[in-house]
Amino acid sequence: MNRFLNPFRYLAGTKALAWGLLFILLTAGVLRAASMVQDSLLHFAFVRDLSFGRVLAVELALWLLPAVVLYGAGLLLSRSKIRPIDVLGTTAFAQLPLLPMNLPFLFPQMKTWTEGLRHTVLAGGMPETGTLVLLTVYGFVAIALLVFFYLWNYRAFSVSCNVRGPKAIAAFIVVQALCMLSAPRLVAWML
C-alpha cells in the first residue's frame, strides 16, 4: 500500500522522469483526441482544431511551472542536496492521475452530455436524471483523482527535496496557489 500512496520512496530521477513524460504524452494524446485542452491547473476545456503539439506544450508547461517553483522552494527549505532530476522526475510521475481522469472524454457521448447539461442549466431547464447521475458519478471520481494528484505531487516534493512538516506543507500550498493564479495567463499566451 505504501508503494501506491508514496511511490517516490522507490522511484525517482531519470526513471521517474521517463515514466512521467510518457504519462504526460498519453494525457496530451487523450486530450487532443477528445478535442480538449487543460487551460489551467484545475480546468479542462473543449476546443476546436488545436494541434497535438500545442496540447502537449500546454501539458508540459503545466507540469514544469509548479515543478520548477517547488524545486526553488525545496532549495530554500531543505538542508539536503537536492537534485533537479529528482524533483522533475517525481513531479512528472505524479501526473498519472490526470490520464484516467480524462479518459471518459474519448467517448463522444461524454462530451454531448457535458455540453447538453451546460446548455440546459444555462437555459434554466432541468437535465435528464440519467445524464445527471452519470455526470455526478464522474464528478466524484474526478475530484478523487485530483485529490490523489495533489497528494502525489506533495509526496513528490517532500521526498525529492527531503522536506516535511508544517513548513513543507505551507510551501507546497503557496506554490500551488501561485501556480494556479499564473497558469491561466501562461496557457492563454501559449494558445
Side-chain angles (χ1 to χ4, degrees):
M1 185 67 163
N2 195 30
R3 283 183 187 255
F4 178 72
L5 292 176
N6 193 359
F8 311 111
R9 292 191 178 276
Y10 313 96
L11 179 70
T14 308
K15 191 172 185 179
L17 182 61
W19 278 107
L21 290 175
L22 176 64
F23 300 150
I24 292 169
L25 183 70
L26 291 172
T27 300
V30 167
L31 289 172
R32 174 59 189 103
S35 298
M36 294 177 67
V37 68
Q38 185 176 353
D39 57 0
S40 71
L41 290 180
L42 292 175
H43 189 263
F44 298 82
F46 293 109
V47 294
R48 294 197 198 298
D49 302 325
L50 199 58
S51 71
F52 173 74
R54 281 190 141 166
V55 174
L56 180 60
V58 167
E59 288 302 301
L60 289 170
L62 291 176
W63 153 62
L64 277 172
L65 175 65
V68 169
V69 180
L70 285 171
Y71 174 70
L75 289 175
L76 293 173
L77 293 175
S78 182
R79 294 182 189 154
S80 302
K81 183 175 188 233
I82 301 170
R83 296 181 338 147
I85 188 71
D86 289 333
V87 178
L88 293 174
T90 56
T91 57
F93 190 89
Q95 303 296 305
L96 175 60
L98 296 180
L99 183 58
M101 189 174 81
N102 288 297
L103 282 175
F105 288 100
L106 286 177
F107 301 100
Q109 190 64 32
M110 185 68 159
K111 184 176 180 181
T112 303
W113 288 339
T114 55
E115 287 181 344
L117 178 66
R118 183 174 154 262
H119 291 299
T120 302
V121 170
L122 288 175
M126 192 64 180
E128 293 178 22
T129 304
T131 300
L132 192 57
V133 168
L134 287 171
L135 289 176
T136 301
V137 168
Y138 169 75
F140 281 118
V141 170
I143 289 170
L145 287 168
L146 278 174
V147 167
F148 194 64
F149 167 76
Y150 280 106
L151 174 68
W152 263 17
N153 269 282
Y154 171 74
R155 297 257 168 98
F157 166 64
S158 176
V159 170
S160 61
C161 294
N162 195 25
V163 293
R164 54 192 56 72
K167 285 184 182 178
I169 293 169
F172 180 79
I173 291 170
V174 167
V175 166
Q176 295 305 316
L178 290 173
C179 290
M180 279 185 209
L181 293 173
S182 59
R185 289 181 184 89
L186 173 66
V187 172
W189 175 77
M190 293 177 74
L191 297 177

